Amino acid sequence: MKWPALLGVALGLLAVSACRAPEPTTRVLSEELAVGAPGLALPAGAAVADVTIDLERRPAVVVPGGAAWSWRVRVPDGASLVAGVALPDLAADAPPGRVVVELQAADERVMLEVTEASGRRWTDLRADLSSQAGQEVELRFRVEGLGPETRVAWAPVTLAAPAATAPRRPNIVFILLDTVRYDHLRAYGYERDTAPQLDRHLVAHGLVAENAYSQAPWTLPSSVSYLTSRYPGELLGKDPAAYGIPAEVPSLPEVFQRLGYRTAGFIGNPTLREENGFGRGFDTFHTPTGIESLYLNAGDLYRRIAPWVAAHQHEPFFLYAHFIDPHDPYASPDLVDGKSPYFDDPGGISGEWIHGVYAGVLALDDQERDRQHLMALYDTEIRFADQFLGHLVESLSPEVRAETIFVFASDHGEEFFDHGGWKHGQTLYEEQIHVPLVFRWDGRIAAGTRLDATVRLLDLAPTLVAAAGGEAPADWQGVNLLPALTGEAPAPRLAAFSQHLAHGPLRAAAVLDGKKMIRFNAQEPFQPADSLQKHLYEVDLARFAPVELYDLAKDGKERANLVTTAPELATPLTPVLAAHLDRTLVGVRALTEGLAPGSVLSGELEFERAPEGWRPLFLGPEDDLQLQGTRVRFRLVAGVGDEGFLLLGDPGDLASARLELDGQPLGAERLRLGTGAAWGGGRSPASALLTPRYPSPGRSPGLRLWRPTGARPSEAAPDPATRDSLRALGYIQ
């Protein structure tokens, strides 16, 4: 954050704090400098700037090397000095500088810290000042052994002390553990005790959402969704390397920053980067880079989080901690000779080789034994990361903990050949999109409760902002779950929608009232770009049906596709899928409606201009469509759920149309245009096809034809760093 922005935040913080009583006692150097607070004696050239060291950006006060400075303050009760320092201009092989921090009181001089600082990482220190409570002291800082050309970045320098009374607004701690299946946690019935700290600190004191769904089965689009409360398919184009939070879309940390919260994002997944928008709104931000980041663990991330918590826990804060451990490779520090304590027969497969199994280049000697071994390695990853969840909660003082909302979730799950594949990103089965979600807010959310309604990760942002007393941006699509979490109102009836948003044909899923529908656009043309895409495409063609229906209450593992025995389950789910997809596709749509399975709708549409092409929308191999100039001829055999096609470009007016059902002519009223008006025969202007919303299906068999108005996803420029991260994680070759 640059000087003008920081000054604005500082003034905003002062304005917000003026509405609260009493004034918080924590003081932050960079903000006191920004507003010109008395007591600072800084050298000429001192300035506030964002400084990134070791991939961690902090808002810093930068002073010339060798220059001493001081800060005169009155020490509140229970105060600590928390400081970080780094030398951004120092060469990696240069000797470190000697950091000296002293305290001068009226009758004593205390050496608080003598340590070393370099340009390779932030050096954090902490000193207890409780013995000086009530005194006015001068804190003196210097780094010895440097010339004036070597800058010194101090970030943070905070006099952290508890407020005299509890804040009126809660703190927010959002803990995300990457790649966690809901059914591999004891809170959801798992036999292994994979997350004892989660159970102890959050589950026992809070609420478990039993049916929470991510909006995509892999990190980038899922994270876009829960941090913006938007469906990712409406924001993202076709190239995963261009995925990110668009500049015009307000994100959760930005909203909290505007509310006057201190914000920090510590992320272990290298795909969530500054370059693709994930750093916006965070005062302090870290994300790793490169393939070596796959071997970093929760301990590496927590060492960054701990000093930030020490510096800022007594202010209103929003902390996003995204641990990556369960993501492959499965290489927890708790493994002994590559073996998990949960399973004693590792066979010949290593957890570092799972990507080879996923990519089809490594075969398993004993599939069931190896599957059990890999799941045990994965469970060990969850268990290792869980201990740092415990450390994070315990790092907050009991008083702060009592005024903090904790949220635990995962961005997606993981498959272990449950439906014929490995890892994640390709399917929309429960093991991939049904995710854990736990809330704790002492005194507001009853301990040990459960919510059995369907909720979505995109509901998190409006819920947390409402808890802080703020208003969600108008274009957020989630709902505020707070009344349901606190027991003030019943849970809303929600449909969860998910889309895979990776390479290969479109696939989408909807969950409503415990019933689930998955659709696979198998006839969509797709040319794999490399051997990985080719293998995954072949696997998916072999294992996916065009339509899958499940009763999750009876068949939570999704083994019995009810498409032939209970096709009526599709009736409420089909419009959920179609309405969401309608906001992501560009062109004129034609969809069947009200057809009995097996019936045949055929006909011809003629337009003013030739469409640029067409794309199938869940057509089957028995369907036929031909585009010849301005004419579209089709023969569609009805299955379960609507189907049809997308016409690309702008074909202009509808010149004429003809429909037949099972060989019998249909009247003109069976073709509905735009919002649902009957065609009526004759030429219809292109404007008659326009509609701002998805048209409700009619009851009579026929065809709907429309073009949605409004913005469509635009393809942003690919980010090279994001592409490198996707390659490191194995999403692309």
Side-chain angles (χ1 to χ4, degrees), residues 120-140:
R120 292 185 294 274
R121 62 183 296 177
W122 292 101
T123 297
D124 292 292
L125 56 95
R126 184 175 183 179
D128 182 5
L129 303 185
S130 57
S131 62
Q132 285 83 26
Q135 299 183 49
E136 186 173 280
V137 304
E138 186 175 82
L139 300 169
R140 299 173 177 173

Side-chain angles (χ1 to χ4, degrees), residues 208-338:
V208 174
E210 295 183 341
N211 298 297
Y213 287 87
S214 65
Q215 277 51 76
W218 61 290
T219 299
L220 249 178
S222 177
S223 299
V224 167
S225 182
Y226 61 73
L227 289 175
T228 66
S229 191
R230 295 283 299 274
Y231 286 97
E234 299 178 30
L235 300 178
L236 308 177
K238 296 180 179 179
D239 187 348
Y243 285 5
I245 298 177
E248 69 277 8
V249 177
S251 67
L252 181 61
E254 287 180 296
V255 173
F256 272 111
Q257 196 176 62
R258 293 166 190 164
L259 289 172
Y261 275 68
R262 185 80 54 198
T263 60
F266 295 95
I267 297 175
N269 191 307
T271 63
L272 310 183
R273 307 183 54 75
E274 292 268 18
E275 295 87 344
N276 54 12
F278 287 94
R280 285 205 325 270
F282 288 119
D283 304 325
T284 299
F285 182 74
H286 162 74
T287 194
T289 187
I291 195 168
E292 65 276 5
S293 65
L294 300 183
Y295 292 91
L296 298 175
N297 57 51
D300 298 303
L301 196 69
Y302 182 71
R303 74 166 174 83
R304 299 174 183 274
I305 296 172
W308 188 91
V309 170
H312 299 299
Q313 69 170 290
H314 299 301
E315 310 168 78
F317 68 85
F318 169 71
L319 170 63
Y320 176 60
H322 184 139
F323 298 99
I324 195 175
D325 296 61
H327 197 291
D328 69 290
Y330 311 139
S332 166
D334 285 346
L335 301 182
V336 178
D337 297 327

Side-chain angles (χ1 to χ4, degrees), residues 44 60 103 107 154 185 195 229 250 315 327 351 515 527 608 670 709:
L103 180 147
D107 56 355
W154 295 89
L185 298 174
S229 191
E315 310 168 78
H327 197 291
K515 309 302 189 291
Q527 185 63 44
E608 177 186 9
R670 297 293 182 89
T709 59

Side-chain angles (χ1 to χ4, degrees), residues 235-467:
L235 300 178
L236 308 177
K238 296 180 179 179
D239 187 348
Y243 285 5
I245 298 177
E248 69 277 8
V249 177
S251 67
L252 181 61
E254 287 180 296
V255 173
F256 272 111
Q257 196 176 62
R258 293 166 190 164
L259 289 172
Y261 275 68
R262 185 80 54 198
T263 60
F266 295 95
I267 297 175
N269 191 307
T271 63
L272 310 183
R273 307 183 54 75
E274 292 268 18
E275 295 87 344
N276 54 12
F278 287 94
R280 285 205 325 270
F282 288 119
D283 304 325
T284 299
F285 182 74
H286 162 74
T287 194
T289 187
I291 195 168
E292 65 276 5
S293 65
L294 300 183
Y295 292 91
L296 298 175
N297 57 51
D300 298 303
L301 196 69
Y302 182 71
R303 74 166 174 83
R304 299 174 183 274
I305 296 172
W308 188 91
V309 170
H312 299 299
Q313 69 170 290
H314 299 301
E315 310 168 78
F317 68 85
F318 169 71
L319 170 63
Y320 176 60
H322 184 139
F323 298 99
I324 195 175
D325 296 61
H327 197 291
D328 69 290
Y330 311 139
S332 166
D334 285 346
L335 301 182
V336 178
D337 297 327
K339 185 170 66 174
S340 164
Y342 292 124
F343 192 70
D344 60 3
D345 186 5
I349 187 76
S350 164
E352 299 187 44
W353 300 349
I354 181 62
H355 185 73
V357 178
Y358 164 80
V361 297
L362 286 177
L364 299 177
D365 295 331
D366 183 330
Q367 182 161 287
E368 182 54 28
R369 180 202 63 195
D370 293 338
R371 190 178 79 90
Q372 293 296 332
H373 168 57
L374 291 168
M375 281 199 299
L377 298 181
Y378 168 81
D379 289 344
T380 307
E381 293 261 45
I382 298 174
R383 176 92 181 205
F384 179 82
D386 173 72
Q387 65 184 304
F388 292 95
L389 180 152
H391 294 332
L392 174 52
V393 176
E394 292 167 356
S395 70
L396 302 176
S397 69
E399 296 79 14
V400 174
R401 211 177 303 160
E403 299 296 333
T404 299
I405 299 175
F406 296 91
V407 177
F408 171 86
S410 188
D411 49 349
H412 57 80
E414 189 86 327
E415 62 174 327
F416 291 94
F417 212 66
D418 304 72
H419 290 89
W422 302 92
K423 290 183 44 169
H424 54 266
Q426 294 299 109
T427 85
L428 298 169
Y429 296 115
E430 293 290 280
E431 62 268 13
Q432 295 244 356
I433 62 170
H434 188 166
V435 293
L437 180 60
V438 183
F439 297 87
R440 173 182 173 179
W441 190 8
D442 295 355
R444 294 294 304 275
I445 296 176
T449 54
R450 303 182 78 88
L451 182 70
D452 64 1
T454 298
V455 298
R456 299 83 53 94
L457 288 186
L458 60 77
D459 298 321
L460 284 177
T463 300
L464 296 176
V465 169

Side-chain angles (χ1 to χ4, degrees), residues 675-726:
T675 57
W679 171 45
R683 191 181 188 92
S684 294
S687 60
L689 305 183
L690 298 178
T691 174
R693 63 186 184 277
Y694 176 73
S696 300
R699 296 184 178 181
S700 300
L703 188 73
R704 283 172 287 159
L705 189 69
W706 76 98
R707 178 193 287 274
T709 59
R712 286 285 167 268
S714 59
E715 190 67 70
D719 170 50
T722 300
R723 192 179 299 281
D724 289 345
S725 296
L726 291 172

Side-chain angles (χ1 to χ4, degrees), residues 658-668 670:
R658 175 181 57 82
L659 296 179
E660 292 183 355
L661 181 62
D662 294 330
Q664 299 299 313
L666 289 180
R670 297 293 182 89

Side-chain angles (χ1 to χ4, degrees), residues 5-16:
L6 183 59
L7 178 59
V9 170
L11 293 173
L13 280 168
L14 292 176
V16 170

